[in-house]
């Protein structure tokens, strides 16, 4: 009988899970199970006083009602004005009575247009909690922040939270094509159902906006950087407008990618030369047309003269010419141009890692005010680990924004659990030394290093139409964490993991503690089993799924993994020191010195900067070969340990998500062994050495691994 | 205050709706709100006695528990044996005590291997309800049927239901590609996430199986008829096996499409000639390989020598050679070959409508026993209306199965509300007269006309990874209704609509009555605004989205809409009578006579069979031109009326689905006008006549309509 009961309960739980938990992201608003806390919350939240009337205000109110209803299980009463005590008062500055404004004092001076204040105040000797801001969107951010206090079981007594985002543009880049395929998408297909737009508003658009607003994301680029000009035609702009209308009250601006050759493709012009008057006018008119539909349109993201995309260089012009021409088009409407520095050319025999710096650094100070240059976190391409991009700090007269990848193109797609905020943090807290010690990448990004007002962080989205949005339940944490770091690039990734786990799963410490640890380790695990010690870009080509260090037959040298690891019988690694390509010289001298010398170069970046012999002695005394092999093994062991940890948390997780993660970790474990075995067998050809003790022997041959083909791997 | 409350409630409802209602299909198991009924149910259902132990038995039990728990809001107790009274006893024949078997009497003789019995019985003077069957899968079908009684608020007193499916193969055809695009798919992308299979079992696979089992669907062809041979490689078969394992306990067999040239593409042979011994052996070995993994593998569906697909004719062989060779490969394992009769050739100058009959009818009696020929409902291709296919009844010595299309390739994609069981019923109850009056298509399909044991109905799936499965909430009814008619081809489509509405939305008569009427009218509406009076295949080409009667530039004549309507200044329509292509001669003489004469030909099929003048007098006295124009207008008016009806049901539907359908009906209304205006403007060029009174004037020009392009229309 007992077993039947258990089956039954599991089923009920699992049904509700599929329908709700996976979809609800970090906005579960689970019931507060700590009785003392629940009672504290109820005492202090005896109703809502809602002072605004805008669409955004209505959303703030609904969210508060929904959150409190679900967490405290009673409907909060809503009042149009303050009565009694222990109310939560919600409204922007202009809606507040002078008495309340007085209670806030000078706090408004401490926040920007998107900041908020959450404050315990006393009015006529009655205690209340106030959520306010200069604007309604700030109030909404405050509401989400306040709800998060409850979600994470924090006290709400004596509140005095004054917060404002440290960057202006906190934006998702969707590499979504018009046919709904998603380049590097591993969570199904594009959310944007262009066929049914503009007349059908999918509830997911609303829930997407809600999730983004809850972490402070305020922009979205709807389309792939490998752009299609059709998005700029009236047929599609009507659809974009419909999405912009949905997103607006959530504080989210819509941006598009601009295909540089659009004036030819949809404009009927013979050229897209940025110096051509007709071309410039075409873009001006196009901008006017867009802004007529979408007055708060954000602007354009542009990938030009990179990987075959058209650009100003097709006409003998340069990036500055291209960017500034577009900047002029959107400037009258307050738009910005996000111009990507991710460029490399098959005609440039230089180390690919050097090309973006070489091409862009000389342009410093030449871009118009409303241009921001978008730089990937590293100089290659979203690897499990890269040293920070040398452009950070190197263009003091130019606003630079960060481009992180949230989707796991090179990190196991959506089957590997990798907590990316750890990676983001590592980059953001890197010291560029460009203005001496403490010139952190974060300070470049938030504009404080060089006093820039236009700032931003972009994340290449991992969102698709999978029921759980991101393919892997834990990949939701990467979306969440990206948003939180875009808001405040100085946040600690562990704190973010803690928040996310509590909001998404449970406040039970027996769950939180081990799982947080598992998340924090997960990034190092993927580095270990894929690309330890500074190895990079040895994934199979095209789809980037699984190992392919042997690939050497692609037309462009820098598309081949052998270009990056340069393994031979003498050793392995890419010499970017002054004995090699001298890429290290692109860093500030303090950093250059460290990277340039194998003895001082951090071992995690060793093979990124140096070609060293198989017998090179690592700091722990091991030879490079042995150390590398043991790192691969360590990665596998870490995944095994992640499985162990997860299995122990079964009592604390709903059956559905438990099972999902369990299955995914099984895949990750299998694939970590695939990585280890394929890479070690391949590199062993050059090292000619045995695997050290402690490294498991491969069960398959190198030929087997080389024979694996994945013609329909997603995202390609 | 009231308005705030309403907003709040709407939000709560809408949140739960998106998360649950849309996804839960017809298995909502809403609370029984009729108090008298609820009390009757509770009295008679005081616990479950579950007698089986198989996976399927466990599913039966879970489903009963979930259904009763949700509808009656208390947990039913589960007993391993009978105690007390008013229990629901669930188990297959072999699990029943002799006393219970006696109570069932000879009812087991009335059902087949998949049938079931639901019976009020008395044991030791205690009343119980028994759900039994010869096999566990029959029990599961019985459980779903029983739950449906509660869902539709039927009495459960004195039950004596003895039911068995009338066809063997009740199967979905997924035109799903390995890259997850779906040919003619309008509900997102393929459910099958090949990348994550076999190790990740998406909960949707389970819920898909559950939904299918609940309506008696017992087979699924996972892959597109335009097949890719890779599905037959070990890499993919491992994934297919994982799906088969999920579906098996739900009584669902997995089938695959066989690319005829697979022996070349993945087998390394130089030919795919069905008379070649190596080829035949390759298929035999391949079948053995598949059956080793999947002992109950259903067999292959084959599209050969049609629309460019490879087939036996490439080697000078014929369909019989091809089908029988494959039949030999699967016969030892009990597999079947479903060989499609949908063929037409660009080298055949014959009327396309005649080609399938011309090619296949002479093969009657030549196929092996385990071959069934799959015939589309009409001779062209899933049009809003077609006369029944002349092959039905014309191959008495050959099992023929029906191929319906559930996805709305030619019927407005997933934005038009069209209730298709009305169309299916029209076809199934058509009289072929092949064995005299009463030789219904349904009797061909269920095998009773010519005493065939191998029978089946296939439906081209409308299922995708949209949250609501089918893109349009009402398209769920087409999946449901297909399953019900596959089980029993004599069911009335109105009864099915009634069932579906009650299970999916509400038992409230104020909702049921008008919405059922709306559904029943919806099919005639789409015929009216797209292709009235027998017009067909005048959709825009390729994607088939919207009108394109003007298209005349495609390489194959029969791909052009002008081929089908043949409008000129003398009139319109395709003369298939004896003065024309004589396609009518393919029908039994009684039918031929009716179709051949415009005076006796049903007006709904007039232009299918006849080219008539613009002044031709219709039965209502109108000229053809005026009558046609008024039909187009009538279609538009019907959609308007559907909108009115829907809007009145707001109080009875959750906010989320109400809004969804409201938005979709808006699109349908817009597009019905597009159809009317574009077609009438185009045909007016030939008729040279004014639009009759009562037909709205177009707001756009013909040139405008011709200029519309949809490069990313889905499903193409």
């Amino acid at each position: 009988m007992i077993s039947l009961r258990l089956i039954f309960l599991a089923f009920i739980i699992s049904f509700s899970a599929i329908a709700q938990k996976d979809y609800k992201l970090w906005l579960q608003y689970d019931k507060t199970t700590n009785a003392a806390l629940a009672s504290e919350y109820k005492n202090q939240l005896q109703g809502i006083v809602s002072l605004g009337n805008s669409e955004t205000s209505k959303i703030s109110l609904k969210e508060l009602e929904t959150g409190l209803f679900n967490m405290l299980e009673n409907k909060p009463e809503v009042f149009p004005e303050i009565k009694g005590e222990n109310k939560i008062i919600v409204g922007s500055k202009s809606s507040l009575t002078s008495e309340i404004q007085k209670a806030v004092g000078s706090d408004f001076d401490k926040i920007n247009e998107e900041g908020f204040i959450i404050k315990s105040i006393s009015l006529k000797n009655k205690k209340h909690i106030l959520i306010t801001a200069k604007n309604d969107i700030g109030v909404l951010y405050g509401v989400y922040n306040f709800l998060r206090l409850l979600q994470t079981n924090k006290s709400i007594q004596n509140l005095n939270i004054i917060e404002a985002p440290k960057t202006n543009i906190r934006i998702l880049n969707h590499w979504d094509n018009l046919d709904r395929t998603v380049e590097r998408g591993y969570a199904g297909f594009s959310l944007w159902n262009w066929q049914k737009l503009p007349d059908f508003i999918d509830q997911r658009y609303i829930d997407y906006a809600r999730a983004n607003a809850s972490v402070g994301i305020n922009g979205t680029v709807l389309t792939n950087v490998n752009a299609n000009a059709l998005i700029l035609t009236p047929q599609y702009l009507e659809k974009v407008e419909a999405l912009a209308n949905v997103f607006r009250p959530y504080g989210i601006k819509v941006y598009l990618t601009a295909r540089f050759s659009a004036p030819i493709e949809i404009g009927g012009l013979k050229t897209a030369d940025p110096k051509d008057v007709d071309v410039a006018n075409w873009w001006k008119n196009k901008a006017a047309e867009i802004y007529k539909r979408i007055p708060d349109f954000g602007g354009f993201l542009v990938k030009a003269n990179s990987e075959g995309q058209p650009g100003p260089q097709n006409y003998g012009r340069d990036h500055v010419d291209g960017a500034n021409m577009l900047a002029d088009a959107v400037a009258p409407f307050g738009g910005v141009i996000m111009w990507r520095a991710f460029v490399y050319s098959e005609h440039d025999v230089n180390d690919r890692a050097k090309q973006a710096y070489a091409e862009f650094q000389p342009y410093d100070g030449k871009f118009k005010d409303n241009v921001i240059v978008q730089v990937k976190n590293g100089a290659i391409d979203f690897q499990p680990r890269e040293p920070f991009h040398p452009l950070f700090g190197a263009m003091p007269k130019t606003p630079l924004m960060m481009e992180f990848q949230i989707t796991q193109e090179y990190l196991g797609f959506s089957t590997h659990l990798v907590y990316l905020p750890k990676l983001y943090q590592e980059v953001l807290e890197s010291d560029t030394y460009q203005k001496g010690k403490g010139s952190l990448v974060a300070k470049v990004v938030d504009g404080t290093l060089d006093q820039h007002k236009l700032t931003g962080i972009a994340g290449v989205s991992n969102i698709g139409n999978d029921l759980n949005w991101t393919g892997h339940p834990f990949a939701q944490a990467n979306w969440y964490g990206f948003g939180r770091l875009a808001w405040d690039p100085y946040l600690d990734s562990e704190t973010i993991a803690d928040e996310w786990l509590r909001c998404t799963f449970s406040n039970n410490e027996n769950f939180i503690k081990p799982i947080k640890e598992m998340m924090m380790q997960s990034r190092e695990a993927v580095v270990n089993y894929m690309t330890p010690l500074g190895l990079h870009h040895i994934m199979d080509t095209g789809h980037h799924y699984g190992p392919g260090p042997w690939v050497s037959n692609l037309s462009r040298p820098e598309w081949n993994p052998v270009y990056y690891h340069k393994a031979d019988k003498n050793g392995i690694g890419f010499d970017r020191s002054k004995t090699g390509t001298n890429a290290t010289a692109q860093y500030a001298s303090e950093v250059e010195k460290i990277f340039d010398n194998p003895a001082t170069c951090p071992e995690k970046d060793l093979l990124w900067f140096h070609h060293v012999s198989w017998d090179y002695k690592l700091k722990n005394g091991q030879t490079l070969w042995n150390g590398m092999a043991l790192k691969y093994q360590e990665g596998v062991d870490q995944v095994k340990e992640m499985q162990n940890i997860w299995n122990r948390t079964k009592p604390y997780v709903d059956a559905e998500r438990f099972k999902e993660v369990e299955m995914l970790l099984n895949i990750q474990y299998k694939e970590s062994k695939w990585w280890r075995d394929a890479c070690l067998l391949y590199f062993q050809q050059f090292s000619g050495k045995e695997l050290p003790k402690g490294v498991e022997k491969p069960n398959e041959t190198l030929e087997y691994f080389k024979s694996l083909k994945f013609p329909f791997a997603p995202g390609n």
Side-chain angles (χ1 to χ4, degrees), chain A residues 278-347:
Chain A
D278 289 341
V279 169
N281 280 333
W282 186 87
W283 281 108
K284 280 180 181 158
N285 291 333
K286 184 52 71 181
E289 180 190 345
I290 295 173
Y291 278 94
K292 198 171 167 196
R293 290 182 179 276
I294 309 166
D296 57 351
F297 179 70
F300 294 120
L301 169 64
V302 188
K303 174 178 181 177
N305 293 121
S306 171
E307 298 183 317
Q309 292 297 305
Q313 294 171 355
N314 300 34
Y315 308 95
R317 316 297 182 186
D318 63 25
H319 288 289
V320 175
D321 298 326
N324 287 351
M325 181 272 294
L326 288 174
D328 283 343
V330 297
F333 311 100
V336 301
I337 301 299
M338 299 172 290
W339 194 271
R340 291 175 94 229
F342 177 68
V343 295
Y344 63 96
S345 165
E346 70 273 36
H347 307 300

Side-chain angles (χ1 to χ4, degrees), chain A residues 175 306-307 340-344 350-357 375-390 403 405 409-410 534-539 544 558-560 563-564 574 576 581 583 586-587 607-609:
Chain A
W175 288 357
S306 171
E307 298 183 317
R340 291 175 94 229
F342 177 68
V343 295
Y344 63 96
N350 235 318
D351 177 3
R352 171 174 162 187
K354 290 173 64 181
Q355 295 184 29
Y357 180 99
V375 182
K376 289 190 180 181
N377 58 280
I380 298 293
D381 193 14
F382 299 137
Q383 295 303 296
R385 169 166 282 133
E386 301 192 32
F388 70 90
H389 201 296
E403 179 175 321
Q405 195 177 44
E409 173 180 358
Y410 296 97
L535 283 173
H536 52 285
H537 218 304
I538 57 174
M539 294 75 190
H544 299 150
E558 77 282 8
W559 283 352
N560 290 299
Y563 172 90
Y564 296 98
F574 197 128
R576 295 190 168 106
T581 66
Q586 292 182 338
Y587 290 97
L607 304 178
W608 184 281
F609 287 115

Side-chain angles (χ1 to χ4, degrees), chain A residues 351 353-354 377-380 385-390 430 532-536 564-566 572-588 591-612 616:
Chain A
D351 177 3
K354 290 173 64 181
N377 58 280
I380 298 293
R385 169 166 282 133
E386 301 192 32
F388 70 90
H389 201 296
S430 295
L533 298 169
L535 283 173
H536 52 285
Y564 296 98
H565 63 68
K566 300 200 188 300
I572 183 170
F574 197 128
D575 186 359
R576 295 190 168 106
S577 74
K578 61 173 87 67
T579 61
T581 66
N582 204 21
T584 49
Q586 292 182 338
Y587 290 97
V591 178
E592 179 190 0
K593 241 177 271 170
I594 294 168
F595 286 158
D596 208 58
N597 180 352
T600 56
C601 180
E603 270 182 358
K604 62 184 169 64
D605 298 320
L606 183 65
L607 304 178
W608 184 281
F609 287 115
H610 301 281
H611 190 82
V612 299
Y616 178 86

Side-chain angles (χ1 to χ4, degrees), chain A residues 622-671:
Chain A
Q622 289 160 352
T623 63
L624 179 84
W625 168 252
N626 283 352
M628 188 174 95
L630 287 161
K631 276 282 176 198
Y632 272 107
Q633 181 65 46
E634 186 183 343
V636 171
D637 293 343
Q638 284 169 310
V639 178
K640 184 85 215 156
E641 179 57 17
M642 286 163 70
Q643 291 186 292
N644 293 338
I645 294 173
W646 183 253
N647 289 338
R648 284 195 293 268
T649 64
K650 195 167 182 173
Y652 312 110
V653 190
D654 52 286
E656 170 84 14
R657 289 189 294 180
F658 177 80
K659 183 77 192 159
E660 275 185 297
V661 175
E662 184 189 36
M663 291 187 285
L664 291 164
L665 284 171
N666 282 342
I667 297 175
Q668 187 172 1
Y669 181 59
K670 211 183 207 181
E671 295 190 354

Side-chain angles (χ1 to χ4, degrees), chain A residues 348-369:
Chain A
D348 190 339
V349 293
N350 235 318
D351 177 3
R352 171 174 162 187
K354 290 173 64 181
Q355 295 184 29
Y357 180 99
E359 199 161 338
F360 273 80
Q361 200 282 331
Y363 299 141
D364 189 28
K366 297 189 175 167
F367 291 101
K368 301 254 175 176
D369 285 350

Side-chain angles (χ1 to χ4, degrees), chain A residues 192-203:
Chain A
W192 323 133
N193 189 335
W194 298 111
Q195 169 73 12
K196 285 183 172 167
L197 282 167
D199 295 311
F200 185 79
I201 301 301
D202 194 313
Q203 177 69 27

Side-chain angles (χ1 to χ4, degrees), chain A residues 7 74 216 257 317 366 427 440 462 561 588 602 606 655 667 672 706:
Chain A
I7 288 169
N74 62 353
T257 47
R317 316 297 182 186
K366 297 189 175 167
V427 176
L440 306 187
N462 65 345
L606 183 65
I667 297 175
S672 69
K706 287 165 86 164

